[in-house]
Amino acid sequence: MKYVLNFLLAVFLTGCSYFIASLILQKGLPLWQALIIGFAVVSLGALTEALL
């Protein structure tokens, strides 16, 4: 259960960082797209970690 919570927190924080960066760069990335990018990044990182 702790792993799932850590995974969701990592997705949320990564998505928020992409969202904030898009605001700073004035690209206007919607929050839902930033969360999808965050999910993809964290998932690929977890998959890579599991393979090694």
Side-chain angles (χ1 to χ4, degrees):
M1 185 67 182
K2 184 179 177 187
Y3 184 81
V4 173
L5 291 176
N6 288 339
F7 179 79
L8 292 175
L9 181 63
V11 168
F12 177 73
L13 292 175
T14 305
C16 285
S17 68
Y18 274 95
F19 179 72
I20 291 170
S22 75
L23 291 178
I24 291 171
L25 297 175
Q26 299 175 346
K27 299 290 183 186
L29 187 66
L31 181 61
W32 67 271
Q33 288 179 349
L35 289 175
I36 290 174
I37 293 170
F39 178 78
V41 169
V42 172
S43 297
L44 287 174
L47 180 63
T48 302
E49 183 178 316
L51 292 175
L52 297 176

